[in-house]
Amino acid sequence: KKPEVSGVMAKADIKPKSIHDAKKWSADVENLYRFQQAGYRDEVEYKQVKQVDTVERWPETGFIKKLQRRDNTFNYFDKQRECKDKEVHKVKVYVY
């Protein structure tokens, strides 16, 4: 049985209530960085646009492994951290 949350997210066009810039690096910021590199706000928007329930992640780190861009090409990411300290402030954190 699939979790109900993902089905609801895919159907409803969920919009963030607020937005702020990331202050320091974390695993969440790393994954947001990867979604934003691929042209999406975050996992919620990716799942809505691509109509998928799961995102491929590295089992060791939990970081995003592969994302399909809007033009249907793919972004592949390393197991290790890719978002450098100087890039952290560019990452947008969306609050729902």
Side-chain angles (χ1 to χ4, degrees), residues 43-92:
E43 190 166 353
V44 174
E45 185 184 41
Y46 182 78
K47 287 178 174 179
Q48 284 174 300
V49 172
K50 290 298 170 191
Q51 297 291 299
V52 294
D53 284 331
T54 57
V55 179
E56 214 173 311
R57 295 174 186 270
W58 289 105
E60 302 87 346
T61 59
F63 295 153
I64 304 297
K65 185 176 190 178
K66 174 178 92 176
L67 291 172
Q68 189 172 10
R69 297 175 61 90
R70 291 172 190 269
D71 62 4
N72 290 330
T73 60
F74 285 90
N75 274 26
Y76 295 91
F77 300 100
D78 290 334
K79 282 182 196 152
Q80 296 90 350
R81 173 180 173 176
E82 287 193 12
C83 181
K84 307 270 187 283
D85 280 332
K86 67 179 201 288
E87 302 284 317
V88 169
H89 73 280
K90 296 178 187 171
V91 177
K92 305 278 181 244

Side-chain angles (χ1 to χ4, degrees), residues 14-65:
I14 299 168
K15 296 275 188 270
K17 290 185 181 70
S18 67
I19 175 178
H20 63 272
D21 293 337
K23 300 283 185 273
K24 63 185 191 4
W25 185 89
S26 69
D28 289 337
V29 169
E30 178 67 38
N31 282 329
L32 284 170
Y33 174 79
R34 294 173 185 220
F35 281 112
Q36 290 166 22
Q37 290 295 303
Y40 301 94
R41 269 193 321 252
D42 53 22
E43 190 166 353
V44 174
E45 185 184 41
Y46 182 78
K47 287 178 174 179
Q48 284 174 300
V49 172
K50 290 298 170 191
Q51 297 291 299
V52 294
D53 284 331
T54 57
V55 179
E56 214 173 311
R57 295 174 186 270
W58 289 105
E60 302 87 346
T61 59
F63 295 153
I64 304 297
K65 185 176 190 178

